[in-house]
Amino acid sequence: MDARFTDEQDEIRRTLRELLGKRCGPEELRAAVDTPAGHDPALWTTLAEQLGLPGLALPETHGGVGCTVTELALACEETGRALAPTPLLATAVLTAPLLLALGTGAQRAELLPALASGGLTAALAVPGPALATALALTGHDRRGQWAGGGRAGGVQARRTEGGWQLYGQVDQVLDGHSARLLVIAAHTGGFARSRVLLFLVRADAAGLTRVRQTALDATRPQGRVQLRHTPAELLGSEAADVLPALARLGDTAAACLAAEAVGAAGRVLERTVEYVGQREQFGRPVGSFQAVKHRLADAYVQVQAARSAAYYAAWAAAEATAPARGETAGSLALAQALEALRRAAAEGIQLHGGIGFTWEHEAHLYFKRAAGDELLFGPVHRLRAHAADAAHVFEEAGT
């Protein structure tokens, strides 16, 4: 493994950091999250047109840039650093890979170039509390019970003369209130032969109702999706093996989420170090006290270790050459990154003193990002436990 970044990868990070530094400061961030969509459409257009960010990991044949998961993870590290409220995670990380893997030729030809250009945003509609299970990060449900189990709850799909119709409700859908295209996991086949399929629903579909929900992390907007006999288009074919596709997506998504969390942790730690070097107590900078130095040094080591794990997870997902380890690299990296972010944000809040816990300061946004991501994609102890089970860590030899 060559751990060095290429010139192209370094350029992606540098350009994106400069752009977000100019366009996504604290004031712009707060203004964006207060809009109905929860993000700045002008910033998203700029990221798409100038950097090709939505299509970074899509093939050139479908209008993308043709890079790998590694480059997408590096981009996520920079957007996480700025807590940039964009549809990048929902569109490019969670939805586009499913369209690429499962879509028919016609569906890929129609949708992927629109996603790559930034003109079309998308969201994966899986019940929020079950998202980590659906992506096989904290468990592996071979029957897809998280989607409703073929009984009441979740979303049910039934075939009609004109195609398919969906009925049900999905909560905590990332960007579900604003995305122009929804990829919805639904049960079909009744209770005896129920299975999970993915369906495409357009924003203007009949019977579709969407509202934005209040979320702990305002920079990660969520929506409730309600469907009442809503016309839908089957993604791919009925023979598509949806659950393994979601599991493969989980490792890639976890690598990007880990990189994003590492970027946020690095940034809040930088701001804390800068502040304790300026704030004085007892006639000297707070940062000169040994106890403060030790705390920040421990947080720095934790962040750097998480960064290394995130980079390896992205490399493993892109290369797909280490099946034994690649299956758990993403979830383990995500667990380590979320812990590092929570630690760095907590230290930032406390060491900023009287202003650290106020609404006006940005420190609480980083802490909420760690807590919100753990609620959606964790918790950390379950990420680690599932990775250990997958690697057979606690099984006795010969069993």
Side-chain angles (χ1 to χ4, degrees):
M1 173 183 177
D2 187 354
R4 294 173 298 180
F5 291 123
T6 65
D7 292 340
E8 182 183 34
Q9 290 168 339
D10 285 331
E11 184 64 18
I12 290 173
R13 301 174 70 187
R14 184 192 64 79
T15 305
L16 188 53
R17 183 172 298 191
E18 288 182 359
L19 178 66
L20 292 175
K22 297 176 182 177
R23 297 287 301 273
C24 194
E27 293 183 2
E28 292 84 358
L29 172 60
R30 291 178 183 275
V33 299
D34 287 338
T35 62
H39 66 267
D40 182 4
L43 174 61
W44 178 244
T45 300
T46 301
L47 293 173
E49 293 180 351
Q50 295 187 12
L51 301 179
L53 206 60
L56 195 61
L58 288 176
E60 294 182 43
T61 53
H62 294 298
V65 180
C67 293
T68 67
V69 177
T70 303
E71 286 76 19
L72 183 58
L74 292 176
C76 288
E77 182 180 1
E78 295 305 319
T79 58
R81 176 183 171 86
L83 293 184
T86 71
L88 180 66
L89 176 63
T91 298
V93 177
L94 294 178
T95 308
L98 288 174
L99 296 175
L100 181 62
L102 301 177
T104 64
Q107 288 171 338
R108 291 197 295 266
E110 176 193 1
L111 299 175
L112 290 179
L115 290 177
S117 69
L120 178 68
T121 57
L124 174 62
V126 169
L131 184 57
T133 302
L135 297 177
L137 296 176
T138 58
H140 190 68
D141 183 354
R142 291 177 174 83
R143 296 188 60 189
Q145 298 295 321
W146 47 265
R151 310 178 191 182
V155 178
Q156 309 301 318
R158 66 183 183 91
R159 188 188 294 276
T160 64
E161 293 182 2
W164 291 86
Q165 285 188 351
L166 304 183
Y167 189 94
Q169 176 174 305
V170 188
D171 294 322
Q172 296 177 268
V173 180
L174 293 174
D175 291 324
H177 61 295
S178 61
R180 304 303 301 168
L181 175 70
L182 297 173
V183 177
I184 299 177
H187 260 286
T188 185
F191 176 71
R193 293 182 295 177
S194 73
R195 57 177 307 208
V196 178
L197 293 175
L198 295 178
F199 295 87
L200 304 176
V201 174
R202 314 286 173 157
D204 58 354
L208 174 64
T209 303
R210 304 185 294 171
V211 294
R212 182 175 178 180
Q213 294 179 287
T214 301
L216 174 64
D217 179 11
T219 67
R220 189 87 87 192
Q222 302 174 15
R224 173 184 294 121
V225 176
Q226 295 177 326
L227 306 118
R228 299 294 182 266
H229 307 297
T230 303
E233 177 186 351
L234 180 65
L235 176 61
S237 68
E238 291 189 58
D241 211 349
V242 170
L243 298 183
L246 286 170
R248 290 190 296 270
L249 170 65
D251 204 55
T252 299
C256 293
L257 284 163
E260 190 184 64
V262 163
R267 178 55 180 156
V268 71
L269 187 59
E270 288 175 10
R271 295 196 59 176
T272 304
V273 171
E274 180 182 357
Y275 179 76
V276 298
Q278 299 172 349
R279 177 189 171 197
E280 292 190 358
Q281 191 74 18
F282 306 112
R284 54 189 287 193
V286 172
S288 66
F289 292 100
Q290 191 174 40
V292 175
K293 290 181 180 179
H294 286 174
R295 290 169 61 174
L296 291 176
D298 288 344
Y300 175 79
V301 170
Q302 192 171 3
V303 171
Q304 291 301 101
R307 178 173 281 115
S308 296
Y311 289 166
Y312 173 75
W315 173 83
E319 296 295 324
T321 56
R325 296 187 181 183
E327 291 178 358
T328 59
S331 57
L332 285 175
L334 179 56
Q336 194 163 356
L338 290 178
E339 275 193 336
L341 175 54
R342 187 172 57 201
R343 170 75 176 277
E347 294 288 7
I349 290 172
Q350 187 167 23
L351 293 177
H352 271 83
I355 67 169
F357 65 89
T358 61
W359 187 260
E360 288 75 16
H361 200 270
E362 289 75 45
H364 71 95
L365 296 177
Y366 289 90
F367 190 83
K368 289 176 179 176
R369 170 59 64 88
D373 276 4
E374 192 167 353
L375 287 172
L376 278 175
F377 302 101
V380 165
H381 70 274
R382 290 189 61 191
L383 288 167
R384 287 203 169 106
H386 179 60
D389 289 342
H392 309 290
V393 171
F394 300 112
E395 291 185 6
E396 297 181 5
T399 59

